Amino acid sequence: MVQPRFVQGGEEPKGSVLSCDFYNSSALNPLSDQDIVDLLTKELLPACYPEFASAQVLDSYVQRFPGAVTWFSPGSFKYRPPLITSIPNLVCAGDIVRMGEREHGAKGLCQERAYVSGLEAANALACAGQLGPNKAQHPVIPIRDDEPQVVIGSRLNKQFMDVLKPFGLDSPWVR
């Protein structure tokens, strides 16, 4: 097990790192960085976990991406880069990649998918012997099947796309 002081450059840990993403958050853009940090640490997190009320923020960094759009849209999956590439020691990771036989869960963009794709990228390199003699792989826990409304939505989207395909409209959703 890695000792925390080694990760901290020989120093004792000073706390924990917390990251938070707000989606569809244009209402937050006019707030100052400190107002956003306060909203998160003094209102939102303590409402879920009361222990956060006593947390002390040592450092913070706020990024804003107004008008940013996602690359994900129905029909875009086939255009994403693959996890395993034609270069033996190069793999791709992130929520945007297609994981092939290592596909896991929903194909939308999310932090969980990004995390799992990172594990699977390392597993692919280990399996191929690109990480030296140790071919140990990190286990990835399977997720449950899609909920019924997701299955129905996917089927409806496929039927809609099948109707449009003969007209050269492979995916009206892709920008």
Side-chain angles (χ1 to χ4, degrees):
M1 180 174 174
V2 175
Q3 296 297 318
R5 69 176 188 276
F6 296 124
V7 177
Q8 299 287 330
E11 298 178 19
E12 287 298 317
K14 294 182 176 95
S16 299
V17 175
L18 175 70
S19 174
C20 182
D21 293 335
F22 294 101
Y23 294 92
N24 297 319
S25 58
S26 58
L28 298 178
N29 284 337
L31 298 178
S32 71
D33 290 0
Q34 188 59 51
D35 287 342
I36 292 173
V37 171
D38 289 345
L39 175 66
L40 179 64
T41 59
K42 294 179 181 173
E43 294 181 39
L44 300 177
L45 289 174
C48 297
Y49 301 98
E51 296 82 8
F52 271 105
S54 62
Q56 180 184 7
V57 177
L58 300 178
D59 191 16
S60 64
Y61 181 71
V62 176
Q63 291 182 302
R64 291 176 176 79
F65 301 97
V69 295
T70 176
W71 286 4
F72 170 72
S73 59
S76 65
F77 184 76
K78 62 186 170 188
Y79 300 110
R80 298 182 189 182
L83 177 84
I84 299 172
T85 70
S86 59
I87 301 169
N89 63 346
L90 177 67
V91 293
C92 297
D95 57 359
I96 192 92
V97 303
R98 290 177 288 123
M99 292 190 272
E101 63 187 40
R102 295 176 177 272
E103 196 60 59
H104 183 271
K107 293 177 179 66
L109 304 181
C110 63
Q111 292 175 343
E112 293 80 6
R113 182 177 172 79
Y115 173 75
V116 169
S117 75
L119 293 176
E120 291 293 16
N123 287 345
L125 290 171
C127 186
Q130 296 296 327
L131 301 179
N134 184 356
K135 292 189 175 189
Q137 296 187 41
H138 192 288
V140 176
I141 301 169
I143 64 166
R144 59 179 160 59
D145 292 335
D146 284 336
E147 296 169 343
Q149 69 272 20
V150 174
V151 172
I152 291 169
S154 295
R155 287 183 187 154
L156 288 173
N157 184 65
K158 182 176 179 349
Q159 290 173 350
F160 181 71
M161 300 308 290
D162 288 346
V163 169
L164 295 178
K165 198 169 199 165
F167 301 104
L169 300 171
D170 286 354
S171 180
W173 315 121
V174 178
R175 295 174 203 65

